[in-house]
Amino acid sequence: LKLTPAYKISNLDYSKKAAFSNVHDQYFIQSISLSEESTIMDFLNIDSKVNYDFCKGNSLFDFFLNPGASLNFAGFDFSLYLPLDFFATKNEDIPSVKSQFDFLYSAEIKKTFSLGEENKLSFFLNASRNITNPVFQQLYYDGGGGAGNPDLIPECSFSFYTGGDWKGKVEASIKPFLIFYKDKIGWVPGNGNNWRPENSGSSTNYGFDFSFDSAELFSFLKLKSNYSLCHAVLTTNESVYGKQIMYTPVHTLNSVLEFNPLELFKVSFIYNFTSKKYTSNDNTDFVPAQHYVDAKFDFKIKRAGLYLLWKNLLDFKYTEVSNYPGPGASVTLGGSFTY
């Protein structure tokens, strides 16, 4: 049994200057949560989480219970989870409490083949029904650039994953997916470029995730890459039917090259690429594809460590959101000591 209590306080309005003189005017959210993980008889698992967010008469309560079982039969690994989700909100302008209760599921079958002493090949198939509840910011945001929407309802999806994994001196996996979304939540621009989250209807997402890790192929050189292909197509509202969901790129790539010629020194180069993203669901405007490179240098001597992180090494110009350029080159120096 493992219990993890947590308390968090955060500022919801990101538009004000970071000055101590503004602290009394900030829109603070307080969050209390308790997580639990337990295992019974080595095959029954129960995970749960209770979370309560509140601020200025607005509140959000979420309870998630995830009981499940895993077992091996006839050389196959089976798992079945039957989560329960309860979601409730209270708005300072509306005295009544709005709530929703959902039954979910996640089932998976997996088969692993051993090919020699070090190599393993696995295939799996997974189906699940999932719920994504709106967060406090989406419900009650009160600051520059937009406003929250207390009428949001949870986003529902039906997911199907399959694929295979190879583990050995080289590790790789490919996972095709098909996801049907209902009441999908997204921020959309309104009057005066003020943004507001809405349940935009339904969509179908399909594509695959691919990962590669050179693992133990070389002792001094490692390469890790993750690539995702995702067509997120709207399937409601004739005016945008078949269009890519705004700010959802089709292609994303992240690669890390680690060079460790000496035990005390390591250098890493991180490459990030994102294809163009449409800035509206009608796909008329977009921000262009972006890419940048980060570099990190790590030094370690016994119990002391020192690192230098150089973000956007080549100072590439790129845009994450329309009219908001990404940060340029920056350098961070840090250290650690273990005793």
Side-chain angles (χ1 to χ4, degrees), residues 202-222:
S202 61
S203 71
T204 300
N205 292 21
Y206 61 93
F208 67 89
D209 298 321
F210 173 78
S211 65
F212 172 83
D213 187 343
S214 64
E216 301 176 2
L217 188 61
F218 304 105
S219 59
F220 62 91
L221 186 68
K222 290 185 178 181

Side-chain angles (χ1 to χ4, degrees), residues 43-47 65-70 78-84 104-108 126-129:
F43 71 95
L44 294 176
N45 304 296
I46 300 177
D47 301 333
L65 176 66
N66 186 25
S70 302
F78 297 89
S79 66
L80 176 64
Y81 287 84
L82 300 172
L84 305 174
L104 310 172
Y105 62 82
S106 176
E108 181 173 292
N126 178 282
S128 63
R129 180 177 185 264

Side-chain angles (χ1 to χ4, degrees), residues 77-114:
D77 295 313
F78 297 89
S79 66
L80 176 64
Y81 287 84
L82 300 172
L84 305 174
D85 183 84
F86 177 75
F87 170 79
T89 62
K90 184 179 180 181
N91 186 353
E92 61 181 344
D93 298 325
I94 304 174
S96 61
V97 175
K98 185 172 65 175
S99 62
Q100 181 170 323
F101 189 82
D102 289 284
F103 292 91
L104 310 172
Y105 62 82
S106 176
E108 181 173 292
I109 180 173
K110 184 176 182 180
K111 176 64 177 178
T112 301
F113 301 91
S114 295

Side-chain angles (χ1 to χ4, degrees), residues 264 296-301 304-308 333-336:
L264 305 179
K296 186 178 182 182
F297 304 88
D298 290 278
F299 305 86
K300 188 173 182 180
I301 301 177
L306 183 69
Y307 74 87
L308 186 148
L333 181 65
S336 63

Side-chain angles (χ1 to χ4, degrees), residues 282-302:
D282 60 12
N283 292 182
T284 54
D285 299 309
F286 62 89
V287 293
Q290 63 188 51
H291 61 99
Y292 56 90
V293 178
D294 300 332
K296 186 178 182 182
F297 304 88
D298 290 278
F299 305 86
K300 188 173 182 180
I301 301 177
K302 294 183 178 180

